[in-house]
Amino acid sequence: LLVHNQHAQPVLKRALPQLAPLIWDSSPRVREAMADLLLCISTSRGLHFWEVVPLDDLLAELACERAGGGITGGPVAQKLHQLLVPSYFPGPEEGPARVATLLKSSPSAGQSFCRLLLAPYIHYIEGGKGSHKIQVPLEHILALATCLLQHLLDHSPVLDPTSPPRKQRNRRGQADAAAATGGNSTGLGGRAKRKKAAANIVPTTPAATAEDASNTGGDEGVDVMAVGAQDESPESWQALLAGLAELCTGIGVALQHELCE
């Protein structure tokens, strides 16, 4: 009740962050109670869960909980995942870019996030009991897997991801040739396009607004998962592949039980 009380919220904003270390408590019950508190805070307009426990700590805990929770995760992992889904997979349009960024920035947490997307369906198949809440429709998860697969096929890993793709290198060569004859506008235009693409990277924090996320869809034909880095490094490519593997594991179980086609 205090969380939703406007008169209590100024005091709670100062007091609640002192509870942040409880997310690392040795007792699973304490960690689960802390996850419940964060879920309650997430429904409040005046309080933000990431101001109580930093987002990096939540992702680190999600990765740790995954290690001993099996394919469906333990109660703490499930509740942390429920807390983070609206931020990292708000829908099939914005979700793939955010999940890809999460996988590359925090591979262990990203893989756990992908695995837990399918946990409610696997839990249902296994006839388990508990509160596995389905947050993401299966067709949206299939769309995410398809998007990751297509991105990996279209962007093979390169040792130097800062170098431009082949097409851009060819264009740069043409621009250099034009500059030698006195015309260098093509090269300048190419650099401007690359700067514009880098500015449209989707932020991965929950504070990202819908307006920020919508900026990734302004240009037709742009791979939003590759904005700012047209080529993937071997490490980032493998991180995306590991996330796709987690999704395919759950999708395979769903296919066996005819939950999808």
Side-chain angles (χ1 to χ4, degrees):
L1 296 178
L2 288 177
V3 168
H4 300 286
N5 189 317
Q6 295 182 355
H7 301 289
Q9 286 177 356
V11 177
L12 292 175
K13 285 183 178 180
R14 297 191 298 269
L16 287 174
Q18 299 179 23
L19 301 177
L22 294 179
I23 199 67
W24 298 104
D25 195 272
S26 59
S27 171
R29 291 186 178 181
V30 173
R31 298 198 303 273
E32 184 176 359
M34 189 62 189
D36 286 330
L37 175 61
L38 294 175
L39 282 171
C40 182
I41 292 173
S42 69
T43 63
S44 171
R45 293 185 178 181
L47 299 173
H48 305 292
F49 68 84
W50 62 88
E51 294 177 349
V52 177
V53 180
L55 190 61
D56 289 342
D57 289 351
L58 292 175
L59 293 175
E61 177 62 16
L62 182 66
C64 290
E65 291 289 341
R66 172 206 179 204
I71 192 169
T72 59
V76 179
Q78 295 163 19
K79 291 177 180 180
L80 290 179
H81 186 261
Q82 181 181 344
L83 183 71
L84 296 172
V85 162
S87 300
Y88 286 102
F89 200 80
E93 295 81 15
E94 304 168 14
R98 297 192 182 192
V99 171
T101 305
L102 174 60
L103 284 166
K104 290 188 283 188
S105 62
S106 182
S108 296
Q111 292 169 34
S112 180
F113 184 87
C114 289
R115 172 176 291 190
L116 289 171
L117 282 173
L118 285 141
Y121 300 97
I122 297 175
H123 185 74
Y124 169 78
I125 291 171
E126 295 177 348
K129 298 180 180 180
S131 56
H132 275 68
K133 181 180 179 182
I134 294 178
Q135 290 181 278
V136 181
L138 195 54
E139 55 268 24
H140 292 179
I141 299 175
L142 292 171
L144 169 62
T146 302
C147 192
L148 284 173
L149 175 61
Q150 191 60 50
H151 177 81
L152 290 171
L153 293 175
D154 291 344
H155 301 84
S156 56
V158 294
L159 294 179
D160 183 10
T162 60
S163 64
R166 292 189 182 90
K167 291 183 179 179
Q168 291 190 10
R169 287 198 290 269
N170 293 337
R171 291 174 183 172
R172 179 175 291 181
Q174 295 172 1
D176 292 341
T181 60
N184 59 358
S185 59
T186 304
L188 292 174
R191 285 193 293 271
K193 290 181 180 179
R194 285 192 292 275
K195 289 181 179 179
K196 179 179 179 181
N200 285 336
I201 297 176
V202 179
T204 59
T205 60
T209 61
E211 182 179 355
D212 294 330
S214 64
N215 288 337
T216 60
D219 297 329
E220 293 184 2
V222 175
D223 182 359
V224 295
M225 290 176 58
V227 168
Q230 293 299 322
D231 288 319
E232 297 288 356
S233 68
E235 292 78 13
S236 64
W237 198 89
Q238 290 174 7
L240 294 176
L241 180 62
L244 177 60
E246 295 286 1
L247 291 173
C248 290
T249 299
I251 292 173
V253 176
L255 283 170
Q256 289 179 355
H257 293 80
E258 300 181 351
L259 293 184
C260 59
E261 297 180 357

